[in-house]
Amino acid sequence: MRTFGPAKAIATMALLASTIIVPPALAAGTAPAASKPAAATAPADTNPRLASVNGQDIRLNDIRQAIATMPDQLRKLPENVIIPILLNQLVDQKAIQIVAEKSGLAKQPDVQHQMEVAAQNALQNAYLSSQVTPGLTDDAVKAYYDKNYANKPGAEEIHARHILVPTEEQANDIIKQLKGGANFADLATKLSKDPGSAKQNGGDLGWFKKGDMLPAFWDAASTLQPNSFSQTPVHTQYGWHVIQVLGKRTAATPTLDSMRDQIRQKLIQEGVQKAVSSAVGQVKIVRYGPDGKALPDNAPTPPPAAAH
């Protein structure tokens, strides 16, 4: 079975859209025209004030910073749509902060702790970003591609069908029917418990790579020759599978453009690991056992004693 997780929900920004229409000049990051002509020597305001809440300004740069943290899909929305939406959100947030501060919540110990944790997380993220971002250049991405992908064959791909049933006994009975000449696709349509579309397609899973499938499923399929089926049931967390391999091929070498985002994620992971290791190497770490005594260096930290 495929290991893809559920797709993340994307906010429906259109439902939140305000009726405010932002002038094109403002959406482009410039100040709107003043009621009177500005002096020719006056510099353009590149960070105009868009609103104030109890005298606390919200400026265009605040909107820009909010946009930078949004998913790619939402950043592509027209600025005359996204700017008023985010402005309304920032106004609401500022109002809540002011009223919450007046209520004395910031003095409560649990709230203070949450604020300290948030500040610490912001500092950690800023440090990691400062260490990792400089290494995410186009040259670094290309160098990684040249080393790991260029002039190398693509991944092995398998085209297979499967029949999924709840018990090993049922799977063995299906294998017996196949050995007797039964049609695999017909049995899949009739008996498979696959919740996806494969059941309607005669169990056809299409072409897939190793990472697309659970390890046990891939291992079994990779040992089969085209136009053969598994002689013993294959067990995964979803149940018992009977697999028929229809074909095998080697995928084309992926292009740099197709791998760019994946390589960037890999470089980020490597950069974060390197930054963490560097930080850990610059501090003194002492671990303590349940008795409160310091443990020897490199000793594993024992689990805390259970509370009674």
Side-chain angles (χ1 to χ4, degrees):
M1 298 293 290
R2 297 184 186 269
T3 57
F4 301 129
K8 294 182 179 178
I10 299 176
T12 308
M13 301 297 287
L15 296 178
L16 302 176
S18 166
T19 56
I20 300 174
I21 302 300
V22 177
L26 179 59
T30 58
S35 57
K36 295 181 180 181
T41 57
D45 187 356
T46 59
N47 186 29
R49 177 172 56 186
L50 304 185
S52 67
V53 183
N54 270 18
Q56 298 185 27
D57 290 345
I58 298 174
R59 294 186 173 271
L60 185 57
N61 280 350
D62 299 317
I63 302 292
R64 291 169 177 153
Q65 290 174 4
I67 291 175
T69 65
M70 297 171 64
D72 289 341
Q73 299 95 320
L74 301 184
R75 287 206 299 268
K76 294 177 181 177
L77 288 173
E79 287 188 339
N80 66 338
V81 172
I82 197 81
I83 288 179
I85 294 171
L86 291 178
L87 179 58
N88 288 339
Q89 291 180 351
L90 291 179
V91 167
D92 292 345
Q93 291 171 7
K94 184 68 71 176
I96 292 172
Q97 292 166 9
I98 291 172
V99 174
E101 184 71 31
K102 288 182 178 179
S103 72
L105 281 172
K107 298 178 181 179
Q108 294 184 4
D110 59 332
V111 177
Q112 288 181 340
H113 175 69
Q114 292 176 38
M115 293 170 67
E116 291 171 359
V117 170
Q120 292 167 1
N121 287 338
L123 183 60
Q124 292 172 28
N125 291 336
Y127 174 77
L128 291 175
S129 179
S130 70
Q131 299 298 303
V132 174
T133 302
L136 299 179
T137 64
D138 288 341
D139 287 343
V141 171
K142 187 176 186 306
Y144 189 97
Y145 173 83
D146 290 342
K147 178 181 178 181
N148 295 280
Y149 296 100
N151 302 316
K152 295 182 179 180
E156 180 185 3
E157 294 183 333
I158 296 175
H159 182 197
R161 305 180 192 271
H162 84 134
I163 302 172
L164 174 65
V165 290
T167 68
E168 185 178 13
E169 181 181 3
Q170 289 175 285
N172 277 317
D173 182 65
I174 290 170
I175 291 172
K176 182 178 180 180
Q177 294 183 58
L178 291 171
K179 290 180 178 179
N183 181 275
F184 195 102
D186 291 343
L187 290 181
T189 301
K190 179 181 178 181
L191 302 174
S192 182
K193 305 301 180 184
D194 186 333
S197 60
K199 175 180 172 66
Q200 285 71 41
N201 296 326
D204 196 336
L205 296 167
W207 290 95
F208 53 84
K209 298 181 179 68
K210 183 175 183 179
D212 297 337
M213 294 293 173
L214 293 170
F217 191 101
W218 172 265
D219 290 345
S222 63
T223 62
L224 294 172
Q225 294 301 313
N227 301 313
S228 66
F229 58 85
S230 50
Q231 301 298 297
T232 57
V234 179
H235 186 244
T236 71
Q237 65 196 59
Y238 296 100
W240 295 88
H241 307 259
V242 180
I243 304 170
Q244 181 187 41
V245 169
L246 302 176
K248 293 184 177 183
R249 69 186 183 189
T250 299
T253 301
T255 64
L256 173 59
D257 285 342
S258 70
M259 297 301 299
R260 194 178 302 276
D261 290 343
Q262 184 174 326
I263 291 173
R264 280 180 57 85
Q265 289 302 314
K266 184 65 176 178
L267 291 176
I268 289 172
Q269 293 172 3
E270 292 179 352
V272 168
Q273 292 172 354
K274 182 178 179 180
V276 171
S277 296
S278 175
V280 168
Q282 298 177 55
V283 298
K284 179 177 177 59
I285 299 173
V286 180
R287 304 184 190 277
Y288 297 88
D291 58 1
K293 295 181 179 180
L295 296 172
D297 290 345
N298 301 321
T301 304
H308 296 287

